[in-house]
Amino acid sequence: MLSIQNLEAKADEQAILKGISLDIKPGEVHAIMGPNGSGKSTLSNSLAGREGYQVTHGSVTYEGKDLLAMKPEERAREGIFLAFQYPVEIPGVSNIYLLKAALNAIRKHHGQTEVDAMDFLQLVKAKIKSLSLDEQFLYRGVNEGFSGGEKKRNEILQMAILEPRLCILDETDSGLDIDALKIVADGVNALRSPTRSFIMVTHYQRLLDYIKPDVVHVLAQGRIVKSGGPELALELEARGYGWIDPSLNH
Amino acid sequence: MSASQEQIDNLIQKEYKPGFVTDLEADTLPPGLNEDVIRAISARKNEPPFMLAWRLKAYQQWLTMREPDWAYLDYQAIDYNSISYYSAPKVKEAPKSLNEVDPKLIETYKKLGIPLHEQERLAGVAVDAVFDSVSVATTFKDKLKEAGVIFCSFSEAVHTHPELIQQYLGSVVPPSDNFFAALNAAVFSDGSFVFIPKGVRCPMELSTYFRINAANTGQFERTLIIAEENTHVSYLEGCTAPMRDENQLHAAVVELIALDHAEIKYSTVQNWYPGDEEGRGGIYNFVTKRGDCRGHHAKISWTQVETGSAITWKYPSCILRGDHSIGEFYSVAVSNHRQQADTGTKMIHVGKNTKSTIISKGISAGRAENTYRGQVKILPGAINARNYTQCDSLLIGPKCGAHTFPYIEVKEPTARLEHEATTAKISEDQLFFCQQRGLSAEDAVSMIVNGFCKQVFKELPMEFAVEAQALLGISLEGSVG
Amino acid sequence: MDSVEHYQAFFKTGEGQLFPWLEALRAPARERFVAQGFPNPLEEGWRYTPLRSLERVRFTPAEAMSGVPSEPVDLELLKEAYSVVFVDGHYVAAASCLEGLPEEVQLKPLSLALRTPGEDLQGLFEDTAAAASCHRLEDFNTALFSDGLCLDIQPNYRLEKPIVVLHLTQQAQGLNTLQHRLRLAKGAQAHLIEVFIGPNDHPSLTTSMTYAVMDENASLRHVRLQREGKASHHFSGLRLKLKRSARYQGHLASLGALWSRTEIHAQLGSSAECELEGLLLASGRQHQDVETRLDHGGTHASSRQNFRGIANERGRGVFTGRIVVDPGAEKTDAGMSIRNLLLSGDAEIDAKPQLEIHADDVKCSHGVTVGQLDEEAVFTLQSRGIGEQEARHMLTFAFANELIERIDHEGARASVRDAFKATLPGSDLGSEL
């Protein structure tokens, strides 16, 4: 599904990613762990095409296409979904309007007709219930005045409605208490399927207790320094990042 | 940034659709201003002597006044003697019904999306159409008459209700108020008149549609709305003009009077020709609008969406005289290319427990200058007066300017006032977020701009809200309401 | 004789021979002042601050005097500091203390510096802030100043010990006119504390202009306490030029005088930082005006302004705060907050915050509130047994004290706090507050 070859990228004119290679097959869940500054967010943002992140070397092939040549919205329409670490507020634009506009943009891209208003409402209502969100939530401005937990659940709601093929969860667990984390994890688990893949970027192993990864990669100083099964995350938790990257010992 | 900047640029490069000229034979006074011109205007309107006397006095005052220069506006000095002060479509006699109105005029309004035939009109909106200097048609008059509402052209009201005109004309905006108000008082040619008698809720929206057509002509209309005790009226105003290379002057006056428990809602979508990209042509819009909450529990609400004009100088205001009266000002002002807008409001709190709200959204693009200028004055004795003001400016592109100049004067210790202002550009985080969810940069900008203006759009009557959004070049079904 | 003619008699005109550069500074200012007189309320910048009461009195500058101040002032503050004392516009060496200054620091009164052979003062007077914001009270000051402080700090020298400048007015109808010139070279640091004190029983006029040029990475902390006498008129202006990454932190307490105007104008270069805090108290018939103008000329500069005003009895508080962002000054971050307490039916607050933005990638905001003490808080205190009057005083003090607490010099903080307590009408707050 996704093949990253020797990816190097800069952020703010500073080289952050220094050669990353990664293969993700349909249905797989990959966890990318690493200390602060290891390049986790740069990787997520480079895949989503955010401005200010400049790929200087390497290639990314997504379902046989050159991902890096696509505009951010094209990547989204092709099924790449970034769940933001810090979801932005957009005052005055209602949640439901954004969801509908986004869904229709994606459907149009795939040659499908726009979704019927009633069908859409039913779909959305069903989804918000499973995320323990109030219906009022739909009519509030996007993330406007939401708590940290609500913002993260809103990201998962968008994911559930847009039904992407590849989900990138950027530190989705940060700032969540244990109850909110469970709700978010349940939301993600419900979306797991043999055709949908996940990249979970996280600092802590806590999230992996709730969403079981197939593969765990450890990122340090812009490179993947170790890959393994779920047990790698536990070992990392027990021994700290210094185990992988001695420069972090002090 | 470059890709999305280009799309933003495309978005704001909208063609001015109402820019056509109607070819009509017109009765136009030669350019220039003196007492004879004023006598000629008054004579053409067959006015009673009190009107002529009022005009001449205003003219004398105007001669002693100076054009204001405090606004953040830069324009070529206006030569008041090069303007023609009267132009009207030539008719043998005033049309008695719509059937007698020149078909070319009807066609003009149809092209502008304002059909004058009642059967084509959405039920619920009565229209007074003002073409250059005169009112050419007023619809649904009979239906309104049944309810007791008077809605007619100003010149008609001078003849049919001189007592109301004498009582209220200039009582909110006296000719001496400012330079442009004095000029208007001297030469105004027509406008709309509305009278809502005690206890009547106006059964439909009232609307005036202003059109400047003739070249080298100024338009000076005057609107007077009187809402007696326990009444309600919603009034809409729209304006367009042809694309011409020279600037044209528009200096209007609007006076609103609300007595006890009366509510007037006044909405404007101003789309005068803004000039071209290089700043050639366009309307100079110098307008004095003021509402007087004369009675207790009166309410006056101004909503404006300003997208047109080369120069805008406009401060719709409220005098909150009656106890418990309410003033509101909701404004979206968009300026692009070389447009300059200096607009805002004044809220003068006199009565007890008076309340005012100001929500102003300025959007500046291209090389435009967009200024909010507002005054909130709370006089001694305005016990428990409250004001809330929020002024936000959005910048699109590095060459425009956005300015915020509020004046706050509080002399009453039980008053509470809160003012907030922000200026920022469209957030790149918001743009990227929308794009990551699959929206194009252009749609993302539309959506964000509309979200930014939502507080104001939701104050507009439904039909106008749609027009306003279309004017911003934005499709936004569902996000407003 | 009108007021302009009155002051013309005192113009300094005899300096041309010895100091042509000084004459070149004074001459145009003199001309402008003579031609146009004092500012009038029809001018936008003086809309809320008429000068009538100032023009009514004919103030007269004092002859140079060498006497010591008639009473000791702020002794606490003078400890552990270099001190410069001006009485009625003239430096008083006997009351000042400039001992132990390191050689990297030039600190002298102007009157002394002019008499010192080989002293190069011209440079200090050259780099004056743009004339755009110059007005006739500033001209008045330039035409008449009799003395001032010259401070010049060498690159990277950090002067830890504060410099305290006392301005005292003693003479009746006295005119006290000073102009200070500061230059902080690259990386230099200083801490300046200015105090203005005057008598209560007769009118006087103090005008004091300070011009400061701060080179790259220079840093200045500045506290100004204005507690002039009840009949005085006070005008003080600060013109700051902040070059790349320079940092200015100012605290102002404008508490005294019958009529007072304090101006702070700053030009910010790239990455410069400017923090202004100010407290203003207008009671009795006091007129207190604070005007700020920050010009963001470079990218990534930031400014924070935080002012609080209290208007009581027949007092009037006036705030004008203009933030200008020049074309190209991207990533500007500028914020201003003005909060006011209006405590009496005869008092007035006027505020004119302004944003003038010519760049797009900026974050600018201002906020103003005018209101009263929180009645709920008053009641809460009452319900704990505190009298209503006292409760109101406590809350008013707390409103001001939040700002006072942010002054990071203990002596200066104590001086401001004591002055505020002494000025707050009807106040008899215990020292524990």
Side-chain angles (χ1 to χ4, degrees):
Chain A
M1 169 171 279
L2 184 78
S3 170
I4 304 175
Q5 296 295 330
N6 276 320
L7 187 70
E8 292 178 19
K10 278 186 184 173
D12 274 341
E13 294 304 306
Q14 237 183 329
I16 307 283
L17 299 184
K18 297 167 184 162
I20 293 211
S21 297
L22 193 60
D23 264 303
I24 297 175
K25 296 190 179 63
E28 284 183 348
V29 176
H30 288 238
I32 295 182
M33 301 185 66
N36 290 333
S38 58
K40 300 188 303 282
S41 283
T42 303
L43 178 62
S44 317
N45 284 311
S46 301
L47 291 177
R50 190 180 198 126
E51 219 173 290
Y53 293 87
Q54 199 192 344
V55 173
T56 50
H57 185 79
S59 67
V60 181
T61 313
Y62 169 71
E63 307 216 303
K65 292 174 194 146
D66 178 6
L67 185 73
L68 299 177
M70 296 184 211
K71 288 197 270 185
E73 62 265 37
E74 288 166 354
R75 301 180 196 203
R77 292 167 191 173
E78 287 289 336
I80 290 185
F81 184 97
L82 173 63
F84 289 84
Q85 182 178 4
Y86 305 108
V88 67
E89 298 189 9
I90 311 181
V93 176
S94 70
N95 240 339
I96 190 157
Y97 179 72
L98 170 85
L99 283 168
K100 198 170 155 208
L103 182 61
N104 280 331
I106 293 167
R107 289 177 67 95
K108 204 173 146 202
H109 180 75
H110 293 289
Q112 295 165 309
T113 54
E114 294 204 348
V115 63
D116 173 80
M118 288 313 292
D119 293 348
F120 177 70
L121 204 60
Q122 268 182 348
L123 169 74
V124 174
K125 282 185 179 172
K127 300 280 187 192
I128 55 167
K129 247 190 218 130
S130 63
L131 285 163
S132 312
L133 289 167
D134 191 80
E135 215 173 286
Q136 264 318 101
F137 192 77
L138 292 171
Y139 301 97
R140 285 162 63 185
V142 175
N143 294 326
E144 206 180 347
F146 288 15
S147 70
E150 283 177 321
K151 285 183 182 173
K152 293 293 168 80
R153 273 185 275 168
N154 200 20
E155 295 290 291
I156 306 303
L157 171 67
Q158 291 160 24
M159 192 194 293
I161 293 198
L162 302 180
E163 300 188 322
R165 315 275 295 274
L166 174 65
C167 306
I168 305 164
L169 277 56
D170 191 2
E171 308 257 2
T172 293
D173 50 331
S174 71
L176 292 185
D177 62 32
I178 196 72
D179 294 329
L181 182 65
K182 274 184 190 157
I183 294 171
V184 167
D186 288 348
V188 172
N189 286 327
L191 288 168
R192 289 181 71 161
S193 87
T195 54
R196 183 173 293 135
S197 310
F198 289 84
I199 298 174
M200 285 192 293
V201 172
T202 181
H203 188 100
Y204 303 104
Q205 104 93 24
R206 191 174 70 141
L207 179 67
L208 309 184
D209 288 342
Y210 299 95
I211 307 172
K212 285 274 172 260
D214 300 306
V215 191
V216 175
H217 308 277
V218 180
L219 197 61
Q221 299 185 349
R223 290 189 180 89
I224 290 178
V225 292
K226 208 170 176 65
S227 298
E231 69 288 349
L232 178 58
L234 293 170
E235 197 166 357
L236 207 56
E237 180 86 343
R239 301 175 68 172
Y241 282 110
W243 168 55
I244 298 293
D245 181 358
S247 73
L248 292 164
N249 269 337
H250 43 113
Chain B
M1 191 62 214
S2 56
S4 50
Q5 185 61 52
E6 195 182 311
Q7 276 150 317
I8 293 168
D9 289 346
N10 288 339
L11 179 75
I12 55 183
Q13 312 272 339
K14 290 278 167 182
E15 180 196 359
Y16 186 73
K17 288 210 179 81
F20 61 89
V21 179
T22 308
D23 186 17
L24 269 181
E25 220 186 317
D27 169 20
T28 305
L29 282 179
L33 183 55
N34 51 51
E35 286 204 1
D36 289 340
V37 167
I38 292 161
R39 286 177 205 283
I41 293 170
S42 191
R44 270 183 173 65
K45 315 230 70 134
N46 202 13
E47 283 180 349
F50 82 86
M51 279 303 302
L52 177 61
W54 193 76
R55 286 174 182 278
L56 290 173
K57 190 175 164 209
Y59 175 67
Q60 287 306 325
Q61 280 169 323
W62 180 72
L63 288 175
T64 67
M65 295 167 98
R66 272 187 48 216
E67 195 173 324
D69 58 1
W70 40 258
Y72 203 100
L73 300 170
D74 182 17
Y75 57 95
Q76 287 240 308
I78 300 167
D79 177 0
Y80 291 91
N81 275 317
S82 71
I83 298 170
S84 164
Y85 288 83
Y86 185 83
S87 177
K90 222 170 221 173
V91 283
K92 288 178 196 75
E93 252 176 83
K96 293 199 175 51
S97 77
L98 274 173
N99 298 334
E100 293 177 29
V101 174
D102 189 331
K104 274 187 185 162
L105 278 172
I106 304 234
E107 189 54 33
T108 299
Y109 281 91
K110 210 169 169 182
K111 255 168 107 174
L112 295 168
I114 318 290
L116 296 180
H117 286 296
E118 292 180 7
Q119 64 271 27
E120 292 173 22
R121 202 55 205 163
L122 285 171
V125 184
V127 179
D128 184 25
V130 176
F131 193 86
D132 285 338
S133 301
V134 295
S135 167
V136 292
T138 309
T139 63
F140 290 108
K141 261 183 172 168
D142 296 339
K143 191 168 174 207
L144 289 167
K145 213 170 177 180
E146 269 170 48
V149 172
I150 305 167
F151 179 40
C152 63
S153 71
F154 202 98
S155 31
E156 192 181 328
V158 167
H159 293 109
T160 54
H161 301 90
E163 72 296 342
L164 289 175
I165 299 287
Q166 270 182 295
Q167 184 183 347
Y168 289 107
L169 176 66
S171 72
V172 186
V173 181
S176 58
D177 189 78
N178 69 68
F179 181 83
F180 295 105
L183 177 64
N184 174 286
V187 303
F188 81 95
S189 36
D190 216 332
S192 295
F193 176 81
V194 176
F195 179 80
I196 318 284
K198 230 178 247 191
V200 171
R201 202 181 159 88
C202 188
M204 58 178 74
E205 309 258 9
L206 305 182
S207 164
T208 297
Y209 202 91
F210 295 102
R211 173 76 178 169
I212 295 178
N213 188 59
N216 296 319
T217 308
Q219 177 149 322
F220 307 90
E221 79 274 353
R222 202 166 175 108
T223 299
L224 176 58
I225 300 178
I226 302 147
E228 286 200 331
E229 292 85 350
N230 298 301
T231 54
H232 177 279
V233 60
S234 170
Y235 183 90
L236 323 172
E237 174 197 72
C239 7
T240 57
M243 291 158 74
R244 294 187 188 280
D245 278 346
E246 78 272 15
N247 299 109
Q248 282 182 281
L249 178 63
H250 173 249
V253 170
V254 175
E255 297 180 276
L256 311 182
I257 294 131
L259 304 183
D260 298 351
H261 289 281
E263 180 176 348
I264 303 175
K265 189 170 171 57
Y266 195 106
S267 314
T268 305
V269 172
Q270 186 264 104
N271 187 25
W272 294 119
Y273 177 53
D276 68 8
E277 268 168 64
E278 295 309 314
R280 274 185 302 261
I283 301 293
Y284 285 180
N285 194 32
F286 293 89
V287 174
T288 307
K289 291 183 166 180
R290 193 173 304 151
D292 189 352
C293 286
R294 239 166 243 187
H296 58 84
H297 296 90
K299 179 177 175 184
I300 289 178
S301 178
W302 299 99
T303 307
Q304 60 170 26
V305 176
E306 302 277 310
T307 60
S309 297
I311 301 286
T312 299
W313 180 99
K314 183 179 164 188
Y315 316 92
S317 305
C318 296
I319 302 168
L320 303 172
R321 217 185 290 277
D323 292 347
H324 299 276
S325 60
I326 296 175
E328 293 175 339
F329 175 76
Y330 298 96
S331 169
V332 167
V334 184
S335 48
N336 191 13
H337 301 315
R338 298 205 178 244
Q339 279 178 275
Q340 302 175 56
D342 191 301
T343 183
T345 184
K346 282 192 212 178
M347 293 289 172
I348 315 292
H349 291 255
V350 185
K352 298 182 181 71
N353 298 303
T354 47
K355 215 174 113 183
S356 62
T357 305
I358 299 170
I359 307 285
S360 163
K361 304 282 178 174
I363 298 158
S364 202
R367 292 174 167 274
E369 300 285 344
N370 197 319
T371 302
Y372 168 83
R373 185 183 303 276
Q375 183 181 42
V376 177
K377 196 171 192 161
I378 299 179
L379 297 175
I383 291 168
N384 289 323
R386 296 285 180 267
N387 164 266
Y388 175 74
T389 301
Q390 188 190 335
C391 300
D392 298 315
S393 301
L394 195 63
L395 294 152
I396 304 178
K399 285 177 182 156
C400 54
H403 319 300
T404 313
F405 299 144
Y407 294 73
I408 294 158
E409 299 168 24
V410 187
K411 305 185 191 195
E412 166 54 47
T414 58
R416 275 180 200 269
L417 171 146
E418 221 180 304
H419 167 101
E420 286 171 48
T422 64
T423 304
K425 72 168 191 167
I426 283 196
S427 138
E428 278 170 21
D429 285 348
Q430 291 176 348
L431 270 179
F432 178 65
F433 174 84
C434 293
Q435 284 176 276
Q436 214 302 309
R437 295 297 177 259
L439 300 174
S440 66
E442 189 170 310
D443 287 347
V445 170
S446 293
M447 201 159 92
I448 294 162
V449 169
N450 269 280
F452 177 75
C453 300
K454 186 175 184 178
Q455 276 168 293
V456 175
F457 283 163
K458 73 175 190 206
E459 295 299 322
L460 285 171
M462 196 53 197
E463 203 188 341
F464 251 35
V466 174
E467 190 181 336
Q469 288 153 24
L471 265 181
L472 286 187
I474 288 149
S475 115
L476 41 53
E477 37 166 337
S479 81
V480 168
Chain C
M1 183 163 63
D2 75 7
S3 61
V4 172
E5 282 171 43
H6 167 78
Y7 291 108
Q8 258 176 294
F10 307 115
F11 283 163
K12 309 271 176 190
T13 49
E15 303 157 331
Q17 287 263 293
L18 279 170
F19 312 108
W21 53 269
L22 190 53
E23 172 61 15
L25 180 76
R26 293 210 203 249
R30 268 199 311 259
E31 279 164 30
R32 279 193 299 262
F33 178 72
V34 169
Q36 298 169 56
F38 286 104
N40 72 67
L42 292 178
E43 294 169 54
E44 185 60 32
W46 300 88
R47 186 185 174 102
Y48 297 122
T49 298
L51 279 81
R52 282 189 305 272
S53 64
L54 186 152
E55 285 187 72
R56 261 202 301 269
V57 187
R58 301 286 184 262
F59 299 99
T60 306
E63 291 303 312
M65 54 160 282
S66 55
V68 289
S70 52
E71 47 189 305
V73 278
D74 282 285
L75 286 175
E76 267 318 296
L77 199 54
L78 296 175
K79 280 183 195 161
E80 302 294 312
Y82 302 107
S83 62
V84 184
V85 177
F86 295 99
V87 177
D88 291 329
H90 297 281
Y91 175 64
V92 180
S96 307
C97 171
L98 294 173
E99 268 166 48
L101 271 169
E103 59 177 19
E104 290 87 349
V105 179
Q106 287 294 310
L107 174 59
K108 264 190 190 139
L110 176 68
S111 51
L112 204 62
L114 286 175
R115 280 182 313 219
T116 312
E119 194 81 46
D120 181 21
L121 288 170
Q122 193 170 352
L124 268 184
F125 282 81
E126 258 170 3
D127 211 351
T128 302
S133 61
C134 173
H135 55 68
R136 276 110 58 205
L137 259 187
E138 196 178 335
D139 287 335
F140 176 81
N141 176 282
T142 298
L144 285 160
F145 69 86
S146 52
D147 211 332
L149 180 76
C150 299
L151 172 68
D152 197 348
I153 305 184
Q154 297 295 305
N156 299 315
Y157 188 79
R158 301 176 171 201
L159 184 62
E160 300 292 345
K161 211 166 155 185
I163 301 163
V164 175
V165 183
L166 283 186
H167 303 75
L168 261 86
T169 305
Q170 296 191 159
Q171 180 185 270
Q173 268 82 50
L175 171 62
N176 184 346
T177 312
L178 293 161
Q179 193 164 110
H180 308 306
R181 296 277 170 166
L182 321 177
R183 185 167 62 196
L184 275 67
K186 197 171 167 181
Q189 274 187 19
H191 188 179
L192 185 66
I193 299 169
E194 285 187 87
V195 182
F196 296 86
I197 304 170
N200 279 325
D201 43 5
H202 51 74
S204 63
L205 170 61
T206 298
T207 82
S208 166
M209 287 297 304
T210 303
Y211 298 86
V213 177
M214 296 171 59
D215 282 341
E216 213 170 303
N217 283 310
S219 161
L220 177 64
R221 288 190 291 156
H222 189 188
V223 177
R224 276 195 289 177
L225 169 59
Q226 187 272 92
R227 52 182 193 91
E228 303 254 23
K230 284 178 181 152
S232 342
H233 289 73
H234 173 94
F235 166 72
S236 67
L238 173 64
R239 304 288 184 260
L240 280 167
K241 205 176 231 181
L242 301 177
K243 300 194 177 166
R244 177 181 287 275
S245 300
R247 181 153 198 255
Y248 174 85
Q249 249 182 308
H251 293 274
L252 165 73
S254 187
L255 309 173
L258 178 66
W259 181 100
S260 169
R261 162 113 160 180
T262 305
E263 299 180 347
I264 303 163
H265 295 183
Q267 298 175 8
L268 282 77
S270 293
S271 301
E273 283 175 52
C274 185
E275 243 180 72
L276 305 178
E277 302 210 323
L279 175 66
L280 166 168
L281 174 64
S283 50
R285 289 176 166 274
Q286 279 182 294
H287 183 104
Q288 294 277 6
D289 178 337
V290 171
E291 190 244 10
T292 71
R293 180 191 166 112
L294 303 188
D295 282 277
H296 283 256
T299 60
H300 291 95
S302 70
S303 61
R304 285 279 160 273
Q305 298 182 68
N306 194 356
F307 287 95
R308 292 192 181 186
I310 300 165
N312 201 358
E313 297 169 340
R314 303 178 72 82
R316 186 174 185 191
V318 178
F319 284 100
T320 307
R322 192 177 185 100
I323 296 168
V324 182
V325 179
D326 292 347
E330 307 298 345
K331 306 283 178 198
T332 291
D333 187 349
M336 175 174 207
S337 152
I338 304 171
R339 292 177 56 191
N340 297 286
L341 281 182
L342 189 59
L343 299 176
S344 130
D346 295 316
E348 176 173 351
I349 294 282
D350 302 302
K352 212 174 70 171
Q354 307 190 318
L355 295 172
E356 192 180 326
I357 318 289
H358 300 279
D360 75 328
D361 193 0
V362 300
K363 256 189 249 165
C364 298
S365 65
H366 64 224
V368 178
T369 60
V370 181
Q372 301 75 43
L373 293 172
D374 180 359
E375 287 306 318
E376 203 127 318
V378 175
F379 178 73
T380 305
L381 291 176
Q382 283 178 280
S383 72
R384 297 292 175 266
I386 295 161
E388 188 194 331
Q389 204 53 24
E390 200 186 341
R392 290 187 186 279
H393 277 132
M394 281 170 71
L395 292 168
T396 307
F397 175 76
F399 177 77
N401 197 41
E402 277 183 81
L403 278 190
I404 298 172
E405 280 298 316
R406 293 171 54 88
I407 300 173
D408 62 3
H409 183 271
E410 203 184 319
R413 188 168 60 238
S415 294
V416 170
R417 190 186 289 125
D418 292 347
F420 179 79
K421 280 186 192 168
T423 328
L424 190 63
S427 157
D428 191 22
L429 290 164
S431 57
E432 67 276 9
L433 260 176

